[in-house]
Amino acid sequence: MLYTHATIITVNTNRDVFTNGAIFVRGNLIADVGRSEELILKYPEEETYNLEGHIVIPGLISTHMHTAQTLLRGAADDLELVSWLCERIWVLQGNFTPEDGYAAARISIAEMLKTGTTCFLESMFANRYGFGGLCKAVEESGIRGCLGKIVMDIGTYAKDPKWAMHPGLVEDREMSLLGAIKMRERWDKKANDRIRIWFGARTPGGVSEGLYKEMASISREKSIPITMHCAEVKADREFFASLSPPQTPMSFCDNVGLLGPSTVLVHMVHLDDTDIAKLAETNTHVAHCPTSNAKLASGICRVPELLNAGVNVGLGTDGAPCNNANDLMQEMKLAAIIHKAKSYDPTLVPAETVLEMATINGAKALGLEDHIGSLEVGKKADFVAVDMRRVHLQPYFSPVSAIVYSATGADVRMVVVDGEIVVEGGKLKTMDEEEVWKEGEKRGHEIAERAGLGEKVKGRWPIIV
C-alpha cells in the first residue's frame, strides 16, 4: 500500500517533515518514505490510499500503563494516595476474575488504538487477572504489547502496615517471579513478534531485596526487561532514607541490580541530583506520567534535569483511575506545559521534545528503537494519521506543535500497526467497539458490587434514579 499526500513527521535522524509526503508499505515494513509525486512515479502499480489533509506521525508508545485499571475509571477520584490505593483500587482489583482481566485488556487496547497508541508497556499485571487473557487481547487486536507480569513477595507499600494490599492481590515468589518466566516461555515474541514479556516489579518495600536480586540476575541471564514504579511519592523517598544505611532511590536500585539499559523506572518524581547522575551513568530509562502525578498530588518529575543529564525519558498515561484516559495525545500536551509552569520558563520541554518522548524515546526505553518509533525504511509500519480538517485544528503552522498542543486522540482517523490498518475512519477494524465497551461497563460495575463499594464509587453528590 502506498499512503500519499499527507504531512509526514518522520522523527528520523534528521527529523524530516514532508508537507506532501508518502509512505510505501510492503508487508509489515516501511519500504520507502518521501515526496508523494516521487513515490507515485516510483511505484505506479501499487494501490494508493489518499491521506490529504492528515498529519502522519509514528505510532505513539506508552511506556507506562495498567490495562486492568480501565474497568475502574473514575472509581477513586479526588482521593489522597493511601485512600486511593488501600480503600479503593486494591480492594477493587482484589475482586477481579480472569474474565474481568480480559475485558479490561480489551477496552484499554481499544481506547489506545483509537487514540493513536500502537505499542504499550503494561506495568504489572497480576496473576488473578489472567495473564493469558491479556496476551490474547493483544494478539487479537493487532497492537504491540510489552507485558509486565507482577513480581512481588511483600503485601504492603513501603513496609507500612497501614498500606496493606487486598489479600486477593498478594503473590509470592513462585506465583509472581516464576509465573512471569512461565508466561515468557509461552508468549514472548508471539503474534508476529508483537508480544514481549517483561518483569513488572512492585515498588521497593513491596519486594524483598533477595527477590529483587534474583529477578535482576534472571533479567540479565535471560534478557528479560524490567519495569518498576519508583520514587513516585514522598513516602518512597522516606522509605529509602529509613534503611540501614540510609539510601536514595537510585542507590537502593543500584545495590539490588535494577539499573541498566533494560530497565524502565516509572514516575521518578522524588529524585536528587545524585539519583539523576546514576540514571544517566547506567542508561536506565524513565517513564514520565504527568497527569497521574498531578491528579494524585505526587509532585512533578524533574524531566528537564533528566533530559539535560542525558537520561532517556518516555511518556505514559498510567491507569484510568489516576488519569481517566488512555490517550497519549492528551498526555503530550500536559508533558509540554507542566514543566513551563513549574520553572517559569516557556522554552523548557518544547513540542518537538515531547513528540520524541512519545515516539522514538519510548521505543528506546522498550529496546525497540531499531523496529519502531520513527518512520524510516526498514522499520515496522506503525503509524497514525490525524485528520486536521477541523475547526479546532486550523490554521496551523508547525505540524509538530499542532499535534502536541491542539490535537487529541479523538482526531485520530487511521492507525496502522505491523502494516495492517487497525483503525480506519476513526473506527476499530479488529474489535467490535460496542461489544467491548458494553462488556467493560457491565464488568466494572460488577466488580464494584463484589468489592462492597457500589455506593462509594458514585461520587459525593446524591444520585437520583
Side-chain angles (χ1 to χ4, degrees), residues 56 202 422 427:
V56 171
R202 278 201 67 217
V422 294
K427 298 184 182 299

Side-chain angles (χ1 to χ4, degrees), residues 108-389:
S108 298
I109 291 168
E111 183 183 357
M112 285 190 284
L113 285 176
K114 281 174 62 71
T115 56
T117 293
T118 59
C119 181
F120 71 99
L121 174 55
E122 158 62 47
S123 180
M124 46 182 189
F125 206 78
N127 187 71
R128 75 171 298 119
Y129 309 153
F131 196 86
L134 170 62
C135 297
K136 180 183 174 185
V138 170
E139 185 174 39
E140 294 169 340
S141 68
I143 202 169
R144 293 187 193 281
C146 296
L147 310 178
K149 166 72 179 69
I150 195 168
V151 176
M152 65 168 293
D153 58 352
I154 297 173
T156 59
Y157 189 101
K159 293 186 178 178
D160 190 331
K162 77 174 183 291
W163 290 36
M165 296 184 78
H166 186 278
L169 290 177
V170 176
E171 299 185 26
D172 58 16
R173 170 185 175 274
E174 182 174 358
M175 184 182 289
S176 64
L177 179 69
L178 301 188
I181 295 170
K182 289 178 182 177
M183 288 298 101
R184 184 174 187 271
E185 291 169 352
R186 179 178 175 185
W187 287 103
D188 195 58
K189 298 188 178 180
K190 292 296 177 65
N192 200 30
D193 198 25
R194 288 186 289 104
I195 294 175
R196 300 292 179 95
I197 305 303
W198 286 46
F199 287 137
R202 278 201 67 217
T203 308
V207 183
S208 66
E209 292 190 23
L211 190 59
Y212 271 135
K213 291 177 180 178
E214 182 181 7
M215 179 186 68
S217 176
I218 295 171
S219 169
R220 291 187 291 271
E221 174 191 345
K222 296 181 178 290
S223 299
I224 305 176
I226 297 169
T227 187
M228 183 184 75
H229 297 66
C230 191
E232 180 179 2
V233 293
K234 289 180 180 178
D236 290 333
R237 192 164 190 93
E238 292 164 0
F239 165 73
F240 294 120
S242 72
L243 300 175
S244 183
Q247 298 186 52
T248 71
M250 291 307 95
S251 68
F252 175 88
C253 289
D254 195 29
N255 289 339
V256 296
L258 289 173
L259 301 185
S262 295
T263 295
V264 176
L265 297 179
V266 185
H267 299 304
M268 302 292 276
V269 174
H270 298 277
L271 305 178
D272 64 21
D273 290 346
T274 66
D275 290 321
I276 292 174
K278 180 60 71 174
L279 287 165
E281 175 191 330
T282 57
N283 295 312
T284 305
H285 311 279
V286 169
H288 180 35
C289 306
T291 300
S292 170
N293 297 154
K295 189 174 180 226
L296 291 176
S298 301
I300 299 175
C301 177
R302 298 175 63 190
V303 167
E305 292 90 340
L306 287 165
L307 293 173
N308 288 338
V311 177
N312 182 53
V313 180
L315 203 59
T317 60
D318 207 345
C322 56
N323 186 315
N324 299 70
N326 301 312
D327 181 353
L328 207 65
M329 297 277 282
Q330 292 187 55
E331 204 71 24
M332 283 197 288
K333 181 173 182 176
L334 185 59
I337 65 178
I338 197 169
H339 305 288
K340 305 179 194 304
K342 182 183 178 183
S343 66
Y344 304 102
D345 183 352
T347 68
L348 285 184
V349 195
E352 288 80 3
T353 298
V354 171
L355 187 57
E356 289 171 342
M357 290 166 62
T359 55
I360 193 63
N361 289 13
K364 289 176 182 175
L366 303 186
L368 298 174
E369 67 270 29
D370 292 336
H371 304 283
I372 59 175
S374 61
L375 303 178
E376 300 181 76
V377 173
K379 286 197 171 185
K380 301 290 188 183
D382 290 13
F383 56 87
V384 174
V386 179
D387 190 348
M388 303 302 291
R389 299 169 298 181

